[in-house]
Amino acid sequence: MTTTRRDALIGLEAWSESLMVLAFSEDLQTGLSLRISRYPDQGVTWVWCHAISRGRFLAYTDSRLGCGPARNGAEAGTADYGAPAIGLKMDRDGPSANLKGIRFGGTLMAHASHEAPEGPGDVRLALSGEFRPDHQAAGALPGRYEQTGQVILEMETDGETTLYRGIG
């Protein structure tokens, strides 16, 4: 029996690092929850992407992607959290404690569903955007940084482009 990369993490204490952007319009017709979590010592990357475009829910998840061995330290001036196997970029500008911004983009094959099975679906979802922090959240766990700020998002699916600019 072969094991998936995700199974290689069960029961292990593992170095992990992640970036997440979360933003939704007040009417919940547009939004994005995008997280990339890297486990460089185990060679595993997990991606969760849930989007709402013109009221339509799209989802992509994959916990079986490869990951290079380089760690992104919290103090580094820049960091790449991308998932090159699926062409998804997510870059941090500035150290985690003094974040200047996050840029993200790529094209995923999503599922038109609230619950996505692992891997690609049949709906093309192109994303590009950035996060510009305003405030550091209080009460975050040690070594963890959570911030609110401005999100600029462009999504394209079914030949139509959806724009969002707001708080995330």
Side-chain angles (χ1 to χ4, degrees):
M1 179 173 111
T2 60
T3 60
T4 64
R5 291 182 171 134
R6 174 185 57 203
D7 293 339
L9 293 172
I10 295 173
L12 290 180
E13 278 193 37
W15 168 272
S16 68
E17 53 195 41
S18 66
L19 278 182
M20 181 174 187
V21 173
L22 178 68
F24 292 91
S25 63
E26 286 187 35
D27 64 3
L28 296 178
Q29 295 300 297
T30 303
L32 177 69
S33 172
L34 173 63
R35 180 178 181 192
I36 297 179
S37 187
R38 300 178 71 247
Y39 301 86
D41 296 345
Q42 286 73 32
V44 179
T45 296
W46 292 8
V47 173
W48 297 267
C49 179
H50 297 87
I52 301 175
S53 178
R54 300 177 315 283
R56 181 180 183 199
F57 197 87
L58 302 168
Y60 176 91
T61 60
D62 202 330
S63 62
R64 302 169 296 186
L65 300 168
C67 178
R71 289 182 175 190
N72 288 318
E75 303 81 23
T78 60
D80 176 1
Y81 292 78
I86 57 170
L88 185 59
K89 300 252 333 142
M90 199 166 195
D91 300 315
R92 185 188 79 217
D93 182 21
S96 295
N98 190 26
L99 183 68
K100 292 181 176 69
I102 296 172
R103 289 176 307 284
F104 56 90
T107 300
L108 302 170
M109 293 306 295
H111 297 268
S113 168
H114 287 66
E115 298 178 17
E118 290 269 328
D122 58 1
V123 180
R124 181 181 175 278
L125 172 62
L127 303 168
S128 66
E130 63 182 282
F131 169 75
R132 298 177 187 160
D134 288 335
H135 299 89
Q136 177 86 23
L141 296 172
R144 188 173 174 138
Y145 301 91
E146 298 179 10
Q147 300 184 358
T148 58
Q150 295 296 311
V151 174
I152 301 164
L153 168 64
E154 182 175 317
M155 291 186 290
E156 189 270 316
T157 189
D158 300 327
E160 292 189 34
T161 300
T162 303
L163 302 172
Y164 172 81
R165 181 182 213 108
I167 296 173

